[in-house]
């Protein structure tokens, strides 16, 4: 699926990257406080540290900023997760590390993740499939790790069960953000992670 082309009047790719990163940070702060629809592009420009005229040199619409926010968050979560999975870890050890690392990343990026899920519904119709594909790709990362455990004889799961396990891991990670008002009163991140891993592997490992 092709990435959405966000228009820019500026040709310098390094400058585009820098300015859009500023926009993303500013937009996440405002979307968290006010939501996408109640936030203006003028407010995003001010929060980002430049004028409204400068902002429109790097995007075409407010919806473009939301797209950049969602795209950036998925990329950052995936890149951080891959960096934390050394090649010498295999099987269940790799799965446990992947789950713990994913939960930690979600904890660090909780505001971004919350904004993404609250506001993704406002994405333009042509951009939504690309962003959803990023979700599938992240789930597929866990599917492959689980399939490796099956191939090594450490787990006995059907393909349908593998897919469900992978989706459950993603949801459990996001739940730490969505229900943080409740979960953090009862568990540390480490306790939550170990309990989720224990529950997941209880009958299969």
């Amino acid at each position: 699926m092709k990435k959405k082309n966000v228009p820019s009047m500026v040709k310098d790719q390094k400058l585009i990257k820098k300015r859009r990163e500023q926009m993303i940070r500013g937009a996440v702060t405002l979307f968290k406080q006010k939501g996408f629809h109640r936030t203006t592009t003028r407010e995003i420009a001010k929060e980002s540290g430049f004028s409204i005229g400068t902002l429109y040199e790097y995007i075409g619409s407010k919806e473009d900023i939301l797209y950049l926010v969602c795209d950036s968050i998925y990329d950052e979560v995936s890149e951080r997760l891959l960096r934390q999975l050394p090649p010498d870890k295999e099987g269940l050890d790799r799965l446990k590390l992947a789950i713990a690392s994913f939960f930690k990343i979600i904890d660090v990026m909780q505001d971004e993740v919350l904004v993404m899920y609250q506001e993704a519904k406002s994405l333009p119709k042509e951009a939504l499939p690309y962003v959803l594909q990023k979700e599938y790709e992240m789930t597929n990362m866990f599917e492959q790790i689980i399939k490796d455990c099956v191939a090594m004889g450490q787990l006995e799961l059907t393909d349908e069960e593998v897919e469900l396990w992978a989706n459950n891991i993603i949801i459990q990670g996001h739940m730490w953000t969505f229900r943080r008002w409740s979960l953090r009163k009862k568990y540390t991140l480490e306790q939550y992670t170990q309990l989720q891993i224990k529950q997941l592997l209880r009958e299969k490992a």
Side-chain angles (χ1 to χ4, degrees):
M1 189 151 311
K2 289 182 66 176
K3 191 166 186 169
K4 183 179 184 294
N5 180 37
V6 177
S8 174
M9 297 168 61
V10 177
K11 302 303 180 186
D12 186 332
Q13 292 301 313
K14 288 184 179 179
L15 190 54
I16 292 173
K17 184 174 185 292
K18 178 183 177 182
R19 293 293 190 224
R20 286 181 175 175
E21 285 174 351
Q22 290 175 269
M23 280 185 221
I24 289 166
R25 288 195 298 271
V28 166
T29 298
L30 292 168
F31 292 167
K32 179 189 171 189
Q33 294 172 355
K34 304 177 62 174
F36 172 75
H37 291 292
R38 293 176 59 199
T39 300
T40 68
T41 51
R42 190 172 297 279
E43 288 171 327
I44 294 172
K46 183 179 179 181
E47 186 71 25
S48 304
F50 39 77
S51 69
I52 185 71
T54 299
L55 181 139
Y56 276 110
E57 291 179 0
Y58 296 92
I59 50 100
S61 66
K62 188 170 75 169
E63 286 74 17
D64 285 340
I65 300 174
L66 178 59
Y67 168 79
L68 291 172
V69 167
C70 293
D71 191 41
S72 171
I73 292 168
Y74 275 120
D75 283 348
E76 187 168 353
V77 171
S78 297
E79 288 167 9
R80 287 189 182 199
L81 182 58
L82 286 172
R83 285 199 302 267
Q84 294 183 35
L85 292 178
D88 60 326
K89 288 283 186 181
E90 297 181 335
L92 287 175
D93 287 340
R94 186 173 179 83
L95 177 59
K96 292 175 183 177
L97 177 60
I99 294 171
S101 298
F102 178 65
F103 287 7
K104 285 180 183 177
I105 293 164
I106 296 300
D107 182 59
V108 170
M109 297 182 63
Q110 57 188 275
D111 288 343
E112 290 90 339
V113 171
L114 196 60
V115 164
M116 181 179 66
Y117 275 95
Q118 286 176 337
E119 306 300 344
K121 62 185 180 294
S122 299
L123 283 166
K125 188 179 295 185
E126 69 275 11
L128 186 57
Y130 171 81
V131 172
L132 292 177
Q133 181 62 32
K134 291 290 189 81
E135 180 85 3
Y136 293 137
E137 290 171 3
M138 192 176 303
T139 307
N140 287 340
M141 291 172 63
F142 281 99
E143 281 189 37
Q144 189 55 59
I145 295 171
I146 297 167
K147 285 180 179 178
D148 290 342
C149 294
V150 173
M152 294 173 68
Q154 294 178 321
L155 294 173
E156 293 183 11
L157 298 170
T158 65
D159 288 343
E160 289 80 8
E161 288 172 322
V162 168
E163 184 176 351
L164 187 59
W165 270 40
N167 278 280
N168 282 344
I169 291 167
I170 297 293
I171 294 302
Q172 287 165 3
H174 293 164
M175 185 168 70
W176 180 250
T177 289
F178 298 151
R179 295 189 60 81
R180 59 188 178 187
W181 54 271
S182 173
L183 292 173
R184 290 165 197 244
K185 294 176 183 177
K186 300 177 181 179
Y187 314 104
T188 65
L189 176 60
E190 290 73 21
Q191 289 171 331
Y192 176 80
T193 300
Q194 291 308 311
L195 284 169
Q196 291 289 14
I197 290 174
K198 182 179 179 181
Q199 183 174 339
L200 184 71
L201 300 177
R202 181 174 294 161
E203 296 180 359
K204 295 294 184 180

